[in-house]
Amino acid sequence: ALLEAMGERQITVGRTTYGLPRLFLVMATQNPIEQEGTYPLPEAQLDRFLMHVRVGYPEASAESAILRLVRERERNALQEVAASAPPMLSQQQLFEARAAVLDLHLAPPLERYLVELVLASREPSRHDASLATKVAWGASPRGSIALERCARARAWLAGRDYVTPEDVVAIAPDVLRHRVLPSYEALAQGWDGDRLVRALLERVPLP
């Protein structure tokens, strides 16, 4: 999960507030096996995470690549080569990439679709009355901002200068699954955030 700053570059510990650098991020992991002594984050804190990405076990080819990567890393460490390796990306290059992402073309109909998807998470009866009792809380405006930014980033990584509906649909589960919260009734029926987001994607018409 990635914590999005949204312009907030301060952190307070106790009574002391610390300024944060312009380039920073927070990543957190949750192990589904060892949860004793841990508690779910409040909804307001979950909303500050840009994405909630579910990572399963790797496929055989990926696991073989992991073995090779670890071997090379250990070999380089023993030869003291890794310490002298130059940085792969400078801060300036990253800031320039951020600016390029914001310059991508997002067609007005696609922006309306993106907004409608988030609005449907708050008022699912707009598209399906049966979902009204299954959603306890929908995505906040942070969800709209995160969905647009991530769709833009996906398009940029694909080498395009425009965002497509596929970009929004592909990234929506990672952006919204922790923001669309099922009701107690839905939980009893086996629904979770993932299933709710899939249902919304099926019901909100594409532009």
Side-chain angles (χ1 to χ4, degrees):
L2 176 64
L3 181 66
E4 185 178 23
M6 300 270 188
E8 301 167 14
R9 297 197 179 97
Q10 295 181 346
I11 185 170
T12 301
V13 180
R15 297 182 179 180
T16 305
T17 299
Y18 302 91
L20 293 171
R22 190 172 164 215
L23 180 62
F24 78 98
L25 62 86
V26 174
M27 300 186 74
T29 60
Q30 184 178 20
N31 189 331
I33 299 175
E34 299 174 356
Q35 297 189 22
E36 184 176 354
T38 65
Y39 303 90
L41 287 174
E43 288 78 3
Q45 290 185 17
L46 282 175
D47 192 28
R48 292 175 178 269
F49 281 82
L50 179 68
M51 301 174 72
H52 175 185
V53 180
R54 291 194 169 166
V55 182
Y57 288 112
E59 297 178 355
S61 59
E63 194 127 1
S64 295
I66 291 172
L67 290 175
R68 292 193 298 271
L69 180 64
V70 171
R71 274 199 309 271
E72 288 301 315
R73 186 180 64 184
E74 292 300 323
R75 184 180 294 116
N76 290 339
L78 291 173
Q79 296 173 354
E80 297 184 350
V81 172
S84 61
M88 298 180 63
L89 188 69
S90 69
Q91 288 195 27
Q92 185 58 36
Q93 287 174 314
L94 183 54
F95 294 145
E96 290 172 357
R98 286 181 176 180
V101 166
L102 295 175
D103 285 339
L104 265 61
H105 176 68
L106 179 66
L110 184 53
E111 183 175 290
R112 287 195 294 272
Y113 167 72
L114 186 152
V115 170
E116 182 58 33
L117 191 59
V118 174
L119 291 178
S121 75
R122 304 172 199 162
E123 300 177 56
S125 58
R126 294 162 65 100
H127 298 277
D128 187 340
S130 68
L131 291 178
T133 60
K134 291 182 170 58
V135 178
W137 296 100
S140 75
R142 287 179 182 270
S144 302
I145 295 170
L147 187 55
E148 186 209 21
R149 289 187 180 180
C150 290
R152 285 177 175 275
R154 186 178 187 273
W156 183 84
L157 289 170
R160 287 182 272 106
D161 60 359
Y162 59 92
V163 184
T164 68
E166 289 74 21
D167 292 319
V168 178
V169 171
I171 208 68
D174 288 339
V175 172
L176 297 178
R177 66 165 53 99
H178 59 300
R179 291 183 163 98
V180 183
L181 306 180
S183 64
Y184 289 116
E185 176 184 333
L187 287 171
Q189 296 173 2
W191 287 69
D192 58 9
D194 262 317
R195 188 174 175 185
L196 287 173
V197 173
R198 288 198 304 271
L200 293 174
L201 288 169
E202 292 169 358
R203 288 161 175 78
V204 180
L206 289 165

